Amino acid sequence: MSGPYILSIDNGTQSVRALLFDLQGNLAAKAQVHLQPYYSDHPGWAEHKADGYWNAVCIACQRLWEDSGIDRADVKGVAVTTQRGTVINVDQDGKPLRPAITWLDQRRTDTVPPIGPLWKAAFKLARVEGTINYFRREAEVNWIAAHQPDIWAKTSKVLLLSGYLNFRLCGSFVDSIGSQVAYLPFDYKGHKWAGARDWKWQALTVRREMLPELVKPGTVIGAITAEAAQATGIPAGTPLVAAAADKACEVIGAGCLAPHIGCLSFGTTATINTTNTRYIEVTPFIPPYPSAVPGAYSTEVQIFRGYWMVNWFKEQFGHLEQATATEKGTPPEAQFDKLVNAVPPGSMGLMLQPYWSPGIKVPGPEAKGAMIGFGDVHTRAHMYRAILEGLAYALREGMERIEKRSGVPVTELRIAGGGSQSDAAMQLSADIFGLPAARAHLYETSGLGAAICAAAGLGLHPDFAAAIQAMTRPGRVFQPVEANRKTYEQLYKRVYLKMYKRLQPMYAEIADITGYPEAL
């Protein structure tokens, strides 16, 4: 491969990657720095040192240059993509005032700003009072203002992780529209900060001057500063281009530009997305997120802690497979795929509902995970396959909700994220959805999506559509097996779709009795 190249910085939950892509979407070089996902001083908290993210970016970039031998002069632009919803508040010099509150954090506050009577009446009439109250209680800015008023008083800017890294690279408080997924006063339909009369300014303590400037994906934000160049090795003056959040970048990195293509992301949060130029609320009053393509929307359904559950299983029950993989020098996925393939489709009646973390409306804030159908035949192999099947059932349910709201049937799947490396997960997904499932042509799809934004923005490809066509392509395609599809169809319709409704009242009772999650 030869240049020119785009440098993507991908700051995920578990690692930071520095990635070099050519203009055909090939990965030329990669350096990775693993992160402690978070630390917790209190139950439900999830924080991370903000400077720790930046330090990991610097180390990853320096390793990239050392290991790749690529001429840095061939790097024509830089783009940043990050985990969503991680909040960092900084002083007027851009220095963090407290640890970042990550997207995994579950703290909430009852001390929230009041909403005016007209808005309250409107929300009551629309029957969304619960959703609005959830928004106010979950907002990190409200918690900090209520519980750390001294820090809030010193806060000059409230940034998402993407905005913080952009600042460290170019010295400006600028972020991409495509990265705005958080409890902030963002207008998801208009792709801008909310208007002055929007209810969100009443519901949140943040003020407009505390937020960064927003630009469309593909916009040149600035240039790498001398200070950032010294820390990262990126040549000073290299253009920094706005990309989007990791899920949005994954969608275009997997080649999903049309609403009939569903993008499954098998990441820490599992999602199903379609790209649409129409504003469609899959769940009423829950907006679609900004796409990595300017002016478009990602119609998304999330399964919080989705493929986190797979790692949870491996940590709790998968020591033998991990040890075997280390001994043989093979990827752990191959050993875990053996577990899956040792069990028939349907896991001999073991069914999982994957709500290890609650949602907002579907599922509700009372939701918990469940596994039913245990018998004396079941082993940890059945549990592992049931986890993968449960996640696929939940994502299929999300797809059907998207189809119902959009009126566009999904006819093919592209799958990205860490879990897509498992052939077994790919096959059972094709079987459960009853659709061909194509693995993205490379694993680093979020980084590739960021590179697409930079390539289009810098004119290295004529536009986003041309960049996506040139830089993405399907990898291996898994076709549904008809016998498996029939089994899954019955389990999905006759069992899975009924589980949450029947268990929901007991989840609320559990919360009331134990106080976890916080009594509702």
Side-chain angles (χ1 to χ4, degrees):
M1 287 181 283
S2 59
Y5 299 106
I6 300 295
L7 170 62
S8 290
I9 295 170
D10 186 349
N11 192 152
T13 303
Q14 300 183 48
S15 70
V16 172
R17 278 99 68 203
L19 309 158
L20 283 177
F21 293 95
D22 68 14
L23 296 185
Q24 288 72 50
N26 299 305
L27 181 61
K30 170 182 175 178
Q32 184 171 18
V33 176
H34 290 281
L35 299 168
Q36 176 189 359
Y38 62 87
Y39 63 86
S40 177
D41 291 335
H42 301 276
W45 289 24
E47 299 187 336
H48 198 286
K49 292 181 179 178
D51 284 339
Y53 289 127
W54 171 245
N55 291 337
V57 167
C58 296
I59 294 169
C61 288
Q62 293 288 5
R63 285 182 185 172
L64 185 74
W65 312 126
E66 291 171 8
D67 298 343
S68 69
I70 287 175
D71 188 347
R72 302 177 206 185
D74 288 335
V75 177
K76 302 305 179 186
V78 183
V80 171
T81 183
T82 69
Q83 56 182 275
R84 307 183 300 192
T86 291
V87 175
I88 301 172
N89 51 323
V90 300
D91 64 16
Q92 60 185 4
D93 297 320
K95 294 180 179 178
L97 294 166
R98 66 175 319 285
I101 300 179
T102 77
W103 68 273
L104 288 162
D105 195 281
Q106 294 184 39
R107 78 187 75 188
R108 55 182 60 163
T109 180
D110 290 321
T111 306
V112 297
I115 290 180
L118 291 178
W119 279 114
K120 287 183 70 173
F123 294 144
K124 186 174 183 178
L125 186 64
R127 298 181 180 179
V128 294
E129 289 174 294
T131 302
I132 302 304
N133 289 335
Y134 182 92
F135 177 89
R136 292 195 293 165
R137 294 175 69 198
E138 293 288 327
E140 295 84 1
V141 293
N142 286 350
W143 188 94
I144 296 170
H147 297 276
Q148 296 179 336
D150 54 333
I151 289 176
W152 187 249
K154 298 175 185 176
T155 299
S156 176
K157 295 288 183 184
V158 175
L159 305 174
L160 299 183
L161 177 56
S162 50
Y164 175 68
L165 295 183
N166 286 338
F167 169 75
R168 295 300 301 260
L169 288 166
C170 76
S172 298
F173 293 117
V174 184
D175 203 3
S176 173
I177 288 168
S179 295
Q180 303 314 300
V181 181
Y183 296 106
L184 291 173
F186 182 70
D187 176 355
Y188 284 92
K189 187 173 186 178
H191 286 175
K192 59 187 178 181
W193 293 125
R197 297 182 179 181
D198 194 290
W199 63 269
K200 297 186 188 75
W201 295 110
Q202 296 182 34
L204 302 171
T205 54
V206 71
R207 303 182 305 277
R208 174 64 187 87
E209 63 269 20
M210 299 171 71
L211 299 170
E213 177 189 351
L214 295 182
V215 297
K216 295 179 181 179
T219 303
V220 176
I221 292 175
I224 302 301
T225 64
E227 182 180 4
Q230 184 175 8
T232 64
I234 305 169
T238 304
L240 178 65
V241 183
D246 54 4
K247 294 295 183 184
C249 284
E250 268 189 346
V251 173
I252 65 168
C256 301
L257 191 58
H260 73 278
I261 304 174
C263 180
L264 303 184
S265 174
F266 290 170
T268 306
T269 291
T271 59
I272 177 158
N273 264 292
T274 62
T275 302
N276 209 306
T277 55
R278 292 189 296 133
Y279 179 89
I280 298 167
E281 294 180 352
V282 179
T283 303
F285 294 94
I286 305 297
Y289 296 140
S291 169
V293 177
Y297 303 93
S298 285
T299 47
E300 177 177 297
V301 174
Q302 303 178 6
I303 311 299
F304 294 102
R305 292 185 184 265
Y307 266 73
W308 172 93
M309 292 175 58
V310 174
N311 290 328
W312 169 81
F313 176 89
K314 291 176 179 178
E315 290 172 3
Q316 300 300 321
F317 306 106
H319 303 114
L320 175 61
E321 284 71 29
Q322 296 196 63
T324 302
T326 300
E327 181 182 337
K328 293 185 175 182
T330 58
E333 287 77 17
Q335 299 302 319
F336 285 101
D337 275 3
K338 288 183 179 179
L339 271 186
V340 179
N341 293 328
V343 173
S347 301
M348 299 182 74
L350 198 61
M351 298 283 290
L352 176 119
Q353 179 187 269
Y355 299 149
W356 257 235
S357 284
I360 301 174
K361 293 190 73 173
V362 184
E366 79 294 324
K368 287 180 174 289
M371 192 175 284
I372 64 171
F374 274 106
D376 58 3
V377 299
H378 291 124
T379 66
R380 62 195 183 92
H382 295 84
M383 288 180 64
Y384 186 58
R385 184 173 186 114
I387 288 172
L388 297 178
E389 290 173 341
L391 287 167
Y393 288 139
L395 292 170
R396 174 176 165 177
E397 184 181 14
M399 179 193 73
E400 291 174 354
R401 287 167 52 205
I402 291 172
E403 289 177 324
K404 184 177 180 180
R405 297 289 292 185
S406 70
V408 179
V410 173
T411 58
E412 56 183 292
L413 302 175
R414 303 282 174 86
I415 302 184
S420 67
Q421 299 308 292
S422 164
D423 286 355
M426 292 290 300
Q427 184 59 57
L428 68 83
S429 296
D431 294 340
I432 286 173
F433 280 79
L435 293 171
R439 180 183 283 144
H441 83 274
L442 51 74
Y443 167 69
E444 297 289 356
T445 39
S446 55
L448 176 57
I452 288 169
C453 292
L458 293 170
L460 300 173
H461 287 295
D463 52 32
F464 273 80
I468 291 169
Q469 183 176 13
M471 298 175 72
T472 70
R473 47 203 169 271
R476 181 180 171 187
V477 179
F478 293 77
Q479 298 290 341
V481 176
E482 182 59 18
N484 299 347
R485 188 199 65 78
K486 288 181 178 179
T487 298
Y488 284 130
E489 188 75 9
Q490 294 297 309
L491 287 170
Y492 174 70
K493 289 184 174 179
R494 294 168 57 184
V495 182
Y496 181 82
L497 290 178
K498 299 176 181 179
M499 284 178 68
Y500 177 63
K501 184 177 181 180
R502 296 189 179 184
L503 292 170
Q504 184 182 24
M506 287 183 282
Y507 293 151
E509 295 290 352
I510 290 170
D512 183 58
I513 295 166
T514 67
Y516 184 79
E518 183 181 333
L520 302 165

